[in-house]
Amino acid sequence: MTRDGTLAKKAREGELDACCRLAERLMARETPSAYRKALPWLRVAARAGERWAAYSIGLMFDKGLGVRRSPARAIEWYAQGAARGYDSAQLNLGILYANLPGKRRDLRRAAELYRLAARQGNRNAMYNLGLYYERGRGVPRSVKRSADWYRKASQAGDRDARRQLKGLGNVGA
């Protein structure tokens, strides 16, 4: 039996790690049909509590990868991954909340989600918090807090944060 055959057998037997690894291999092909084939394996794992799988399904609906794009379904799946502490799900859920149309937009909730992801070391979330504090989006405007978050993102390797930090001057240094 081939390596992929063994993995598929373990996934069919309900082994969660095998479901995730099989889905990951399929998604690496980056074709619509491969994403569609990965979806059932991701669902099995996500329903069993695997946060990466919930995030991955959210990403598929967010970007329309093998499925019809659906922000509502992306939010649903990202929320599962975010609730389980997956930083990328928290970041992406925050981005979706920040970009909802009209009164559905929730910048305060977006900032909360960015904060959760940033505390886990997610540099994109750190950068977003820097922007939010700089502009007063969903949080009180604070150049000092903005600089703090840009500095953390910069230390984590974010070049855009370095540029933003330079633009703020020596605040909080």
Side-chain angles (χ1 to χ4, degrees):
M1 188 175 284
T2 67
R3 218 165 122 200
D4 282 346
T6 302
L7 190 59
K9 180 180 183 286
K10 288 180 179 181
R12 282 190 298 278
E13 292 169 355
E15 195 175 301
L16 295 182
D17 183 59
C19 290
C20 290
R21 287 188 301 146
L22 182 56
E24 189 173 34
R25 282 189 188 171
L26 288 165
M27 292 186 306
R29 296 178 189 165
E30 296 184 359
T31 65
S33 66
Y35 282 108
R36 283 190 295 275
K37 288 176 184 174
L39 187 57
W41 301 116
L42 291 170
R43 281 192 171 122
V44 166
R47 289 183 178 134
E50 174 52 55
R51 61 192 195 160
W52 171 82
Y55 159 77
S56 295
I57 296 171
L59 188 64
M60 289 173 68
F61 282 107
D62 189 7
K63 306 298 180 192
L65 302 171
V67 296
R68 179 170 290 162
R69 190 176 180 282
S70 171
R73 296 200 62 198
I75 286 171
E76 173 188 325
W77 286 101
Y78 280 152
Q80 287 184 37
R84 295 174 186 148
Y86 198 69
D87 67 309
S88 293
Q90 293 163 340
L91 171 69
N92 287 11
L93 183 57
I95 291 169
L96 284 180
Y97 278 135
N99 290 294
L100 287 171
K103 293 182 181 189
R104 293 179 48 216
R105 178 173 292 144
D106 191 343
L107 297 176
R108 186 169 291 155
R109 181 69 179 132
E112 290 170 7
L113 288 159
Y114 297 154
R115 191 170 289 108
L116 291 171
R119 287 180 180 153
Q120 295 182 69
N122 187 303
R123 73 179 187 202
N124 294 323
M126 293 173 193
Y127 177 83
N128 285 2
L129 279 171
L131 281 175
Y132 274 46
Y133 277 107
E134 182 180 0
R135 298 176 184 166
R137 287 186 63 147
V139 294
R141 188 174 186 283
S142 171
V143 177
K144 183 188 178 320
R145 283 189 173 178
S146 175
D148 290 344
W149 283 112
Y150 283 145
R151 193 171 292 106
K152 288 176 184 178
S154 176
Q155 290 167 352
D158 191 298
R159 292 181 184 160
D160 291 330
R162 285 187 196 119
R163 281 193 290 279
Q164 292 294 116
L165 192 54
K166 285 179 184 177
L168 292 178
N170 289 332
V171 177

